Amino acid sequence: MPVQLAEINTSPPTTDDRLIFDFIDISAQFYSFKQDVINHIQQGIAITVEEHVQHLLALSSILLLKPARTHRDLHKHIDLNTCDALCQHIIQKHKMTNQSFPTEVKLQLEEIIMQLDMDGDRGKACTRLAASQQISALIRDGDTLNPVNRILLSIRNMVEKLPRQIIENGPKETELITRHLEAILSPLFEDLDNDIAFRWTSISDDEKQANIRPDASINIIHGALLSDRIGCGEVKAQYQALNHRFVGIDLVRVATLAKDASDKHKLKSIFAFLVVGKVFVLCSP
C-alpha cells in the first residue's frame, strides 16, 4: 500500500484538544508514535498492511486499540496496560458492554429453534414459516424497535433465510451479504421510521481498491436525500479470512472512512464494523 508522505498531516495536536487518560497525554504520545512511523518510511523501513495496520492508521491520525494485541512499536509510547485500560474505558463510555436479554424470552426462543426442521426430513419438526410466526409472537412493546425486538427480528430473518448447511465452499462476498448479513444486520441497525437507513453500497466478489465507498453505510435520511453517515462496514468472505493483506486493507478502509465521516459531521463517535466470514468485529472511532 503506497504512502504519499506529502499528503500526511504532520501537525502536532492542539493544546486545547487533547485526550488525557490516567494522567497520561495520549494525544502527545500517539503523535510521537506517528512521527516514528514517518521516520521509518523515510528511512526505507518496510511498512506492510499485513503486519503494520496500526502504523498505517496512525498516518491518518487513527489510534487502533485491540485488547492485548496492540503492536510493540506503539508500546514504546503508550504501554500495553494503558492501551488495554483505554480500550475498556472507551467501551464503557459508549455503553458497548453486554446488554441483558430477558431469560423467559431466551428460553422460548431456544424451544422454538429446537423444534425447527433442521435436517429436512420434516417429521414432527415445525417448518420455517411456523417458527417465524412463533418468534414474531415474542415481539414486545408493540411497534417499538428496542434491543430485544431487534434481536428477535434478526433471529426470525435467520430462520427464514439461512440454508441448513454450508453450500459447497461457502458463500462469496456477494452471497454472504445479500443472503446472510442482510438478514442478520438490517434489523439491528436500520430504523426507517426514525430516518436511519442501513444500505449496502458496494457489493462485489472482486477485490476493491482502497478509499472508495464502503460495503455498508448507515445514514440519516432527510426526505429523499441521504445525509450524515453515522456508520459503515466492510465484508470479507470466509475463504479470504486467512488473506491478511485483504483483511488488513478492509480494516484500514473502514477505519479511514469512519474517521472521515466523523470529522466531516463533527460526530463524537461513529459505528463501524468488519465482517470476515464468521467473525464480526465492532469498531467505534
Side-chain angles (χ1 to χ4, degrees):
M1 179 177 288
V3 176
Q4 301 294 329
L5 290 179
E7 300 176 0
I8 298 173
N9 181 6
T10 58
S11 302
T14 59
T15 56
D16 61 344
D17 187 20
R18 298 290 183 96
L19 173 60
I20 308 297
F21 177 73
D22 279 354
F23 306 104
I24 300 172
D25 189 335
I26 301 295
S27 299
Q29 296 302 109
F30 178 58
Y31 176 73
S32 178
F33 170 60
K34 178 179 177 179
Q35 292 302 113
D36 271 1
V37 176
I38 293 174
N39 291 336
H40 287 171
I41 295 173
Q42 291 173 334
Q43 295 168 20
I45 299 174
I47 301 292
T48 67
V49 72
E50 293 91 340
E51 299 182 16
H52 302 98
V53 168
Q54 286 184 309
H55 301 65
L56 291 169
L57 289 176
L59 298 176
S60 297
S61 299
I62 298 172
L63 173 58
L64 175 64
L65 297 173
K66 302 183 289 184
R69 294 184 61 195
T70 42
H71 199 281
R72 59 182 178 275
D73 288 351
L74 177 60
H75 299 160
K76 300 174 184 176
H77 308 273
I78 308 173
D79 65 71
L80 175 60
N81 290 336
T82 300
C83 287
D84 287 350
L86 178 59
C87 182
Q88 189 61 34
H89 168 74
I90 293 172
I91 290 172
Q92 293 176 348
K93 180 179 179 181
H94 292 284
K95 299 180 180 179
M96 295 162 58
T97 53
N98 294 335
Q99 298 289 327
S100 61
F101 193 85
T103 301
E104 66 276 13
V105 178
K106 176 177 176 292
L107 293 175
Q108 289 175 290
L109 264 178
E110 291 175 348
E111 183 178 351
I112 294 169
I113 300 302
M114 289 295 292
Q115 294 175 357
L116 188 60
D117 178 22
M118 299 300 294
D119 55 13
D121 64 0
R122 201 58 71 84
K124 294 183 178 180
C126 71
T127 63
R128 289 173 184 255
L129 179 58
S132 173
Q133 292 174 326
Q134 292 177 47
I135 294 171
S136 296
L138 298 177
I139 293 176
R140 298 180 166 191
D141 301 326
D143 57 357
T144 303
L145 269 180
N146 55 45
V148 172
N149 286 347
R150 287 181 180 274
I151 292 171
L152 288 172
L153 290 172
S154 180
I155 294 173
R156 185 195 66 182
N157 284 359
M158 285 189 275
V159 166
E160 294 176 354
K161 296 283 290 184
L162 301 192
R164 293 188 181 91
Q165 306 292 337
I166 295 175
I167 299 174
E168 295 183 346
N169 295 323
K172 291 189 175 182
E173 184 173 319
T174 299
E175 185 182 2
L176 177 63
I177 288 173
T178 56
R179 174 172 289 275
H180 297 71
L181 297 180
E182 169 63 17
I184 298 167
L185 300 182
S186 183
L188 300 179
F189 303 147
E190 186 167 77
D191 187 355
L192 293 176
D193 287 335
N194 288 303
D195 300 320
I196 298 175
F198 176 71
R199 307 161 54 243
W200 296 105
T201 56
S202 180
I203 301 177
S204 173
D205 289 333
D206 300 322
E207 181 56 22
K208 301 177 288 294
Q209 297 298 315
N211 298 321
I212 61 175
R213 291 183 301 175
D215 289 335
S217 181
I218 306 172
N219 293 81
I220 295 174
I221 305 172
H222 287 306
L225 300 176
L226 290 174
S227 185
D228 300 2
R229 175 182 291 157
I230 58 176
C232 58
E234 286 288 327
V235 176
K236 275 286 171 286
Q238 182 63 37
Y239 76 95
Q240 296 175 314
L242 296 180
N243 189 320
H244 299 300
R245 175 174 174 78
F246 284 176
V247 174
I249 288 173
D250 269 6
L251 179 55
V252 170
R253 180 189 292 127
V254 74
T256 304
L257 289 169
K259 181 181 183 299
D260 290 346
S262 178
D263 291 345
K264 178 180 179 181
H265 303 302
K266 309 299 182 184
L267 304 175
K268 292 183 179 180
S269 63
I270 186 169
F271 182 85
F273 67 88
L274 176 65
V275 176
V276 183
K278 302 175 183 178
V279 180
F280 182 94
V281 180
L282 175 64
C283 315
S284 181

